[in-house]
Structure formats: structure tokens, C-alpha cells
Amino acid sequence: MIGYVTLGTNDLSAATAFYDALLAETGARRVWEFPRGVAWGVAPDKPSLAVMAPFDGNAATVGNGVMVALVVDSHEKVDRVHARALELGGKDEGPVGARGEGFYAGYFRDLDGNKLNVFCHG
């Protein structure tokens, strides 16, 4: 149902470098590139994640209560992606670990303050 998610950025170069390095850990690669933004994905028929300067020219802001969840296939990848986000300058919003039965996740904010998590089931 979801085609793509867009996160606003005020520094496209920094955001692109952050997500190039971070999303490489999940197997994603750049699927779109244009002057205002970049998107990453794993396949054309799967949802993608984009960072973009706002179309209206105003500053990008963080949506309160908005979060993007990145799915991976193992606890080890959750650990690795979360750690990589912090190495790249992201802010920890909740350490990796079990969050209920069968759900393992870690939470972080990117360089613009957007909240994400990385998770797996099982």
C-alpha cells in the first residue's frame, strides 16, 4: 500500500551521505535522484525512502508523532543499522532490544531530527 515515504531535510548533502551509508546496511540503493532529493529502495515494487528539500522553499521540520520504520531480517541487522545510525551522527531514541513478543527494534533520529526505527519480527 505505501509507495514511498519522504523525510524533509535542510542539508541535502549531509542527509544523502547519512542515508547512503545507513541504508547500505539494509541492502537498499539509490533509486531516484533529482535536484531536491534522493530516494533509496530495495526493488521497484517495494516502498522506498526519500529525503528532500521542501517544495515550498520553507525550512524542513520534524512531524511530532511521525516515525519511519525500516524492516530487516535479523536481530544482528537491527543492531548493526542502529549502531551505524549513531556512528553517522544520529541520536539514540531507544536502544535495541525486544519490544513485546516477537518484535525487536532500535530507535533513532537522523541528522534533521526525523525519527526512525529499525526492526525485525521473530
Side-chain angles (χ1 to χ4, degrees), residues 20 22 29 33-34 41 50 59 70 73 78 84 86 88 90 94 102 104:
D20 276 342
L22 182 69
R29 60 178 173 70
E33 293 184 57
F34 40 95
L70 306 172
D73 60 5
V78 170
R84 186 72 170 134
L86 303 185
L88 293 166
Y104 186 82

Side-chain angles (χ1 to χ4, degrees), residues 93-111:
E93 282 288 315
V96 295
R99 304 282 198 294
E101 190 173 327
F103 187 78
Y104 186 82
Y107 298 78
F108 60 94
R109 291 193 183 267
D110 70 7
L111 304 179

